[in-house]
Amino acid sequence: MDHYEAALRQQLHSSCDLIVLDTVDSTNLYAKKLASQGAAHGTVVIADCQTAGRGRLGRSFASPKGLGLYCSVILRLNLPTEQLMNLTVFTAEAARRAFLEAFGVETGIKWINDLVFERKKLCGILTELGFSSQGTPDYAIVGIGINCNHLPSDFPEEVALMATSLRQILGRPVDRSVLAGALIRQLTLAAEAMAHEPASWLNSYRTHCVTIGQDVQLVQNGQIRSAHVIEMDDQGALLVVLPDGTPEKVFSGEVSVRGMYGYQ
Ligand code: BTN
């Protein structure tokens, strides 16, 4: 752990306030507490292990000790809520660029928040917003979990067949701190792009999104429906058509792509 913390501090040096924890329930929960106490924009929380790592749609995120990068970043972006709604999209594109920068690994994006390699999950993102008493956005927490040095036996049984790690992709262990450095650099660029020139980042996300153009299953409020995905709009919503030709916008829920994560 001391070695991990030293390596992280070297990679991230003066670029941000960095808190490194041995074990925590969830770095997102920890970062939320810090943000509500006034922690600065750009504060980064990284843990070596999470005992209650959280995912989207109320799921858990397995976070075994010493194997993954479990990271949450506090952002105070001064953007309206509508614009912050696609922070997950920009974070996913930042993570994609970080894999490329750090290890030359090309990944795809499964809408909205998963980075995949050969149909298996490599990384998940959980974005949470905090609001002031006036109802305006106060802070955002961007939580990123990356499977780095996991072997197949390190995953819980229920996700083992759907998950991969950088170690399995590259055939060698990776330095998590190098990835953290690339991720924070790319996230900083993503925040600038969101505010000033979002188009090229949105288009890059679309190009690498494995969900667009596919027949999918929409899982919303316990209901499962088939649909075809046409495009993603600038707010991050999917434009789909139902089998009877009805167009619909999808803002949330699970969108399963055939051949991925056990959907045949
Ligand atoms: C998902 O797969 O639905 C999102 C997973 C997000 C996991 C990361 S790990 C760091 C941060 N802390 C959490 O509790 N969750 C995020």
Side-chain angles (χ1 to χ4, degrees):
M1 168 60 187
D2 284 352
H3 172 74
Y4 184 37
E5 175 163 4
L8 285 167
R9 293 203 179 279
Q10 199 180 359
Q11 289 293 334
L12 299 172
H13 39 88
S14 58
S15 62
C16 60
D17 289 339
L18 173 65
I19 293 155
V20 183
L21 305 166
D22 185 32
T23 301
V24 71
D25 48 2
S26 151
T27 55
N28 263 34
L29 288 177
Y30 193 95
K32 256 198 229 180
K33 267 178 235 150
L34 287 182
S36 61
Q37 291 160 9
H41 168 81
T43 302
V44 176
V45 180
I46 295 179
D48 196 34
C49 170
Q50 293 185 121
T51 53
R54 297 155 67 233
R56 207 170 141 255
L57 306 172
R59 294 179 184 139
S60 59
F61 185 82
S63 313
K65 190 170 178 56
L67 297 179
L69 177 59
Y70 317 121
C71 167
S72 298
V73 183
I74 299 172
L75 298 175
R76 298 185 187 275
L77 293 172
N78 294 321
L79 293 172
T81 310
E82 311 79 78
Q83 238 175 305
L84 289 173
M85 295 318 282
N86 62 10
L87 186 52
T88 302
V89 164
F90 282 81
T91 304
E93 176 59 15
R96 194 193 68 74
R97 293 179 186 207
F99 290 127
L100 205 53
E101 178 190 326
F103 302 116
V105 171
E106 283 274 11
T107 49
I109 306 170
K110 179 185 165 291
W111 187 89
I112 187 171
N113 66 324
D114 284 354
L115 278 284
V116 295
F117 183 86
E118 292 180 352
R119 299 169 179 267
K120 291 187 174 184
K121 178 161 170 167
L122 178 62
C123 163
I125 294 161
L126 177 65
T127 305
E128 302 182 86
L129 298 183
F131 293 88
S132 70
S133 49
Q134 289 82 43
T136 52
D138 182 14
Y139 60 82
I141 307 295
V142 169
I144 304 150
I146 300 172
N147 303 327
C148 293
N149 288 319
H150 302 54
L151 295 171
S153 57
D154 293 316
F155 292 108
E157 206 177 286
E158 62 280 13
V159 298
L161 291 174
M162 305 175 226
T164 189
S165 69
L166 287 166
R167 179 176 184 168
Q168 290 172 60
I169 294 167
L170 294 168
R172 62 170 173 87
V174 295
D175 184 338
R176 289 176 293 168
S177 64
V178 169
L179 181 60
L183 187 62
I184 299 306
R185 264 191 300 284
Q186 293 296 343
L187 207 52
T188 306
L189 296 173
E192 281 165 22
M194 244 181 114
H196 303 297
E197 32 119 27
S200 68
W201 278 63
L202 286 170
N203 284 337
S204 185
Y205 180 103
R206 291 181 179 112
T207 303
H208 295 95
C209 181
V210 298
T211 312
I212 297 171
Q214 298 296 311
D215 290 332
V216 297
Q217 281 197 334
L218 307 175
V219 187
Q220 291 159 314
N221 310 318
Q223 207 195 355
I224 302 180
R225 293 176 303 156
S226 298
H228 181 76
V229 182
I230 306 290
E231 194 41 288
M232 184 186 78
D233 72 12
D234 286 355
Q235 284 66 50
L238 284 185
L239 309 178
V240 306
V241 245
L242 303 178
D244 67 1
T246 314
E248 201 168 294
K249 261 192 195 188
V250 177
F251 297 94
S252 64
E254 176 63 35
V255 177
S256 308
V257 181
R258 198 175 285 278
M260 297 185 86
Y261 301 3
Y263 165 43
Q264 295 312 321

